[in-house]
Amino acid sequence: MQDDLRDLVATGCRVLGSEGHGDLIWGHVSARDPEGRGTWMKAATWGFEEVTRDDVVLLTRDGSVIAGSGRRHAEFPIHTEILAARPDVGSVVHTHAPHAVALAATGSPLLPISHEGTLFTPPEVPRFEETGDLILTAELGARVAATLGDQRALFLVNHGIVATGRDVPTAVLGAILLERACRTQLLAVGAASTLAASDDDEALRKRDHCYNDALLEQAWDYLVRRLPGDSGSAGRRPGRRPFRRRNVRT
Ligand SMILES: [Zn+2]
């Protein structure tokens, strides 16, 4: 169970790396420990695409590493405080996704001009504007969680994004789809001064039609199958082969 969850966090990191969310060694994925011991989180010093289960550590809410080896990321309070505030959330993703950072900096809200945007709006995607600096304290993390409210994602303006989900695949897909939605909007803004967008009713229907649980699961399986050298082992289907360690370090 524990190894399965560590594999899932590591796979989520590699999927994000394959989708352009890498920012050298920054950005992270976490998951709530099912036994209530804390938060499993990608360790520092590794890029998304090279993370394996051995690079996932268990943290307490105050940031102490109590299982696994490796250093914790300094921005762990984003994860620990959101997980504390949101019992419905099982996984948190934070990345410096470039198109999302760019769109948030314009001050324009994300609009449902593509399928992807309908996953997040309506209502408007929350914006955390208190600081564009790192989220290094529990107090700041708690204020990020308060800004997120009951939404699935938010913009950390001048910094990055946070996406949440009931599990790692859902949170990772949220980050991927938010970045894609922002990229599409930036393309449109560059070509026209007014944009056609779904109204709220259509956007909510599309959210269900395009991104219901079954379709998100299929999209996750596809992203895992597409990973270099991966057999899709950390997908949610039962009976898959255990994850093969790819990067052996000495
Ligand atoms: Zn960050």
Side-chain angles (χ1 to χ4, degrees), residues 61 76-86 126-150 153-157 162:
R61 191 168 176 182
F76 74 89
I78 295 173
H79 302 258
T80 51
E81 295 307 312
I82 288 176
L83 288 168
R86 288 281 299 272
R127 297 164 57 86
F128 185 77
E129 298 177 304
E130 181 177 329
T131 179
D133 201 350
L134 304 185
I135 307 300
L136 298 176
T137 66
E139 291 74 19
L140 262 181
R143 293 204 286 279
V144 170
T147 303
L148 176 68
D150 62 357
L154 91 164
F155 294 119
L156 296 171
V157 178
V162 173

Side-chain angles (χ1 to χ4, degrees), residues 174-191:
I176 290 169
L177 292 166
L178 181 59
E179 168 68 352
R180 288 181 177 218
C182 294
R183 182 180 63 191
T184 301
Q185 186 163 329
L186 288 170
L187 284 171
V189 167

Side-chain angles (χ1 to χ4, degrees), residues 16-233:
L16 287 165
S18 77
E19 281 288 304
H21 281 252
D23 178 17
L24 302 178
I25 57 171
W26 296 290
H28 5 93
V29 176
S30 68
R32 187 190 303 277
D33 180 67
E35 297 172 23
R37 294 172 296 175
T39 302
W40 291 98
M41 184 173 169
K42 169 194 173 296
T45 75
W46 305 110
F48 272 147
E49 66 278 1
E50 59 182 349
V51 175
T52 73
R53 74 162 62 157
D54 293 338
D55 310 314
V56 179
V57 296
L58 181 62
L59 305 176
T60 61
R61 191 168 176 182
D62 68 1
S64 301
V65 176
I66 57 173
S69 59
R71 289 163 41 197
R72 63 162 166 74
H73 278 282
E75 289 194 296
F76 74 89
I78 295 173
H79 302 258
T80 51
E81 295 307 312
I82 288 176
L83 288 168
R86 288 281 299 272
D88 60 311
V89 167
S91 176
V92 178
V93 170
H94 166 57
T95 78
H96 303 160
H99 296 89
V101 171
L103 181 65
T106 70
S108 299
L110 179 70
L111 300 173
I113 67 168
S114 64
H115 288 344
E116 297 97 332
T118 66
L119 184 61
F120 305 97
T121 187
E124 195 169 307
V125 177
R127 297 164 57 86
F128 185 77
E129 298 177 304
E130 181 177 329
T131 179
D133 201 350
L134 304 185
I135 307 300
L136 298 176
T137 66
E139 291 74 19
L140 262 181
R143 293 204 286 279
V144 170
T147 303
L148 176 68
D150 62 357
Q151 301 303 302
R152 68 187 307 150
L154 91 164
F155 294 119
L156 296 171
V157 178
N158 303 133
H159 179 170
I161 60 168
V162 173
T164 66
R166 67 181 185 283
D167 54 19
V168 171
T170 311
V172 168
L173 276 162
I176 290 169
L177 292 166
L178 181 59
E179 168 68 352
R180 288 181 177 218
C182 294
R183 182 180 63 191
T184 301
Q185 186 163 329
L186 288 170
L187 284 171
V189 167
S193 56
T194 59
L195 306 180
S198 295
D199 60 29
D200 286 358
D201 288 344
E202 181 176 87
L204 292 171
R205 285 197 305 276
K206 288 180 68 173
R207 184 179 301 176
D208 183 52
H209 292 160
C210 301
Y211 302 116
N212 60 52
D213 290 350
L215 291 173
L216 288 178
E217 184 169 348
Q218 291 165 27
W220 167 260
D221 285 344
Y222 163 69
L223 289 166
V224 175
R225 288 197 305 272
R226 206 180 59 171
L227 287 174
D230 206 303
S231 61
S233 56

